[in-house]
């Protein structure tokens, strides 16, 4: 039954990859990539159960971390053209 | 008997998780602009991943692998903590990058509301 | 309240769960790693009510299940929009005032809004929230109001 779930995740990845290729703006692509990362986390978890050896969950945890940081880094690069700058201080809270 | 019930619950959770995930991916393709697509992406991050991982969690609890269940909960908690921040970052970057949100009536913003 | 022991305990529990080796060497590595992490965090000066809101933990016990149920309901609504043969969306950006007093409360409210599909927080200035909704009803409903009040209650009097 886990193979069905893995197949669903793979179908989703193909659909979202389509959006990443088509996406008119860079933000569409970043959003699609972030989404593919989330699906990869789920896929790693499910594949562990397909093989009957759910030892890859630590990898899923690490992948979730890297996916988040990568998305933020790419967005920052798009917005400022540089990873070293810090955002200008605004009044109020973000 | 007990195993049958658990199996059925796991099946239902996995299938509905897959349903929400496919629907979210379909939304990523069908919806008109980046802001509306974010809502579809949110579906995948919350219920798609949530129900699937919950199914795996119940399966491994029944299997006697409590440690695996705890790790699945950790993965899910991490996804649910980071996904809104990433979505918000995309939205904010898209707005400040000059993307105008798609609307059905043309003008960008709708004012005149003070409380939801 | 001193938060360093709390952080240390949480990190060490995480270490135990992820390693699950109870030999002396691994426990020693865990103690050393957690101590270094807590020292660095304390030195950075970010160990405060905002980074480690343990005072909210017992009230979050009722908030989180309610939030999960809300997420499920709005998931079903958005799924219905996506699966309908013709996409009918009426997206708009609305501004409103939130009633939380602390930045932490606003953070929790903004993340709860973004976590429920159908609404995404696009910006906060002070207590003015800017929210993008996929259909007008998502933000018009009384549910946002309930969430607003619930987060204000979660945040508590201590604020």
């Amino acid at each position: 039954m886990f193979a069905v779930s893995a197949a669903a995740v793979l179908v989703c990845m193909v659909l979202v990859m389509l959006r990443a290729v088509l996406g008119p703006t860079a933000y569409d692509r970043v959003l699609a990539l972030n989404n593919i990362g989330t699906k990869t986390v789920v896929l790693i978890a499910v594949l562990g159960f397909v093989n009957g050896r759910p030892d890859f969950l630590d990898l899923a945890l690490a992948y979730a971390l890297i996916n988040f940081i990568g998305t933020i880094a790419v967005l920052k690069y798009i917005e400022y053209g540089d990873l070293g700058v810090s955002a200008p201080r605004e009044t109020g809270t973000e | 008997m007990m195993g049958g019930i658990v199996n059925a619950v796991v099946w239902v959770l996995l299938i509905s998780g897959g349903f929400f995930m496919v629907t979210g991916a379909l939304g990523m393709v069908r919806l008109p602009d980046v802001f509306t697509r974010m809502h579809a992406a949110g579906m995948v991050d919350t219920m798609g991943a949530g129900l699937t991982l919950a199914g795996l969690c119940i399966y491994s609890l029944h299997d006697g692998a409590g440690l695996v269940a705890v790790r699945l909960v950790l993965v899910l908690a991490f996804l649910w903590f980071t996904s809104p921040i990433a979505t918000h970052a995309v939205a904010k970057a898209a707005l400040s990058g000059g993307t105008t949100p798609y609307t059905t009536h043309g003008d960008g913003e709708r004012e005149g509301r003070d409380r939801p | 309240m001193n938060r360093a022991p709390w952080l240390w305990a949480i990190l060490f529990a995480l270490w135990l769960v992820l390693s699950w080796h109870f030999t002396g060497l691994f426990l020693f590595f865990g103690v050393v790693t957690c101590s270094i992490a807590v020292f660095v965090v304390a030195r950075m000066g970010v160990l405060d009510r905002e980074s480690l809101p343990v005072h909210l933990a017992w009230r979050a016990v009722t908030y989180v299940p309610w939030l999960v149920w809300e997420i499920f309901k709005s998931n079903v609504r958005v799924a219905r929009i996506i699966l309908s043969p013709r996409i009918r969306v009426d997206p708009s950006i609305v501004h409103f005032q939130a009633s939380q007093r602390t930045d932490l409360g606003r953070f929790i409210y903004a993340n709860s809004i973004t976590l429920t599909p159908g609404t995404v927080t696009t910006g906060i200035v002070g207590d003015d929230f800017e929210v993008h909704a996929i259909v007008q009803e998502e933000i018009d409903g009384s549910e946002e109001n309930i969430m607003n009040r619930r987060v204000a209650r979660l945040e508590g009097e201590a604020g």
Side-chain angles (χ1 to χ4, degrees), chain B residues 11-70:
Chain B
W11 259 113
V12 167
L13 284 173
L14 286 184
I15 294 292
S16 48
F19 166 76
F20 278 116
M21 215 178 278
V22 172
T23 312
L26 214 60
M28 290 287 285
V29 178
R30 288 191 73 191
L31 288 171
D33 79 327
V34 62
F35 293 97
T36 45
R37 278 174 208 141
M38 267 179 316
H39 304 298
M43 271 180 69
V44 176
D45 285 354
T46 55
M47 275 298 118
L51 290 176
T52 308
L53 292 183
L56 298 181
C57 198
I58 289 178
Y59 179 84
S60 55
L61 272 182
H62 183 247
D63 230 22
L67 194 61
V68 174
V70 172

Side-chain angles (χ1 to χ4, degrees), chain A residues 1-2 5 9 12 15-16 19 27-28 31-32 34-35 38-39 41-42 49 57-58 61 65 68 75 79 94, chain B residues 7 11 21-22 28-29 34 37 41 44-45 52 56 59 68 71-72 75 82 86 89-90 92-93 96-97:
Chain A
M1 64 176 133
F2 301 116
S5 203
V9 177
C12 293
L15 282 175
V16 177
R19 175 51 66 199
Y27 308 109
D28 286 290
L31 189 67
N34 181 37
N35 218 312
T38 307
K39 290 188 171 87
V41 173
V42 178
F49 281 82
L57 284 172
D58 304 334
L61 205 64
L65 251 166
F68 171 64
L75 281 173
E79 196 157 358
E94 287 300 312
Chain B
N7 254 335
W11 259 113
M21 215 178 278
V22 172
M28 290 287 285
V29 178
V34 62
R37 278 174 208 141
V44 176
D45 285 354
T52 308
L56 298 181
Y59 179 84
V68 174
R71 284 181 192 178
L72 281 168
V75 171
T82 55
V90 174
K92 203 170 157 53
S96 72

